[in-house]
Amino acid sequence: MTTAAAITKPTVLFICQHNAGRSQLGAHLLDVVAPGEFVSTSAGLKPAAEINPVVAESLHELGVDTSAARPRLVTEDDLADADVVVVMKPGLALPGPVAGRLVEWEFPNPEEWDLDGVRGMRDAVAAQVRELAADLTAAR
């Protein structure tokens, strides 16, 4: 008999400053790399009004639909509920303690970047996401 705990997917929360670029890339790319394996979500410390259109375009190139993506504020509950919290820039002042595993990556803010620049970051984030997904899968 399968228990509910055995089928619960780990939650991975990606965080950046505005939840418009880096953290959106992380969450969407986790869904591409490991579809259905994790609950991927993202949030920011000072959310923008919308996802960065160039970031969205770079994801659309991979067939990712970002039409429902909305930047949102990270909460203490998010940090308490996530199994893994990935900060896309070290040293972010989070609104509370991280209950699960904390992972720190260092990616620059793509706010003013063109599509070629964002593609490079997208691919670098995808490589990190693949490593994280493999690590988390192996640990289960």
Side-chain angles (χ1 to χ4, degrees), residues 30 33 101 105 124-138:
L30 182 57
V33 167
R101 176 178 167 189
W105 293 345
V125 171
Q128 289 288 101
V129 166
R130 278 191 291 279
E131 287 182 29
L132 178 65
D135 182 46
L136 295 175
T137 299

Side-chain angles (χ1 to χ4, degrees), residues 65-137:
D65 178 10
T66 61
S67 62
R70 301 286 179 270
R72 66 179 190 87
L73 181 66
V74 65
T75 67
E76 288 185 52
D77 287 344
D78 290 330
L79 299 173
D81 294 342
D83 298 292
V84 179
V85 172
V86 180
V87 293
M88 304 300 279
K89 176 184 175 184
L92 292 178
L94 301 177
V98 173
R101 176 178 167 189
L102 176 65
V103 177
E104 290 186 321
W105 293 345
E106 188 161 357
F107 289 101
N109 184 349
E111 191 170 13
E112 302 296 326
W113 292 15
D114 65 11
L115 185 56
D116 285 336
V118 171
R119 280 183 187 128
M121 178 185 286
R122 176 199 65 199
D123 296 345
V125 171
Q128 289 288 101
V129 166
R130 278 191 291 279
E131 287 182 29
L132 178 65
D135 182 46
L136 295 175
T137 299

Side-chain angles (χ1 to χ4, degrees), residues 1-51:
M1 180 190 223
T2 304
T3 65
I7 59 172
T8 301
K9 298 175 192 175
T11 298
V12 181
L13 170 64
F14 293 87
I15 300 172
C16 69
Q17 191 67 31
H18 302 293
N19 189 216
R22 297 168 283 189
S23 56
Q24 293 282 348
L25 284 170
H28 284 92
L29 290 168
L30 182 57
D31 288 339
V32 169
V33 167
E37 294 296 313
F38 304 95
V39 174
S40 63
T41 187
S42 66
L45 301 175
K46 295 179 183 174
E50 63 184 14
I51 185 172

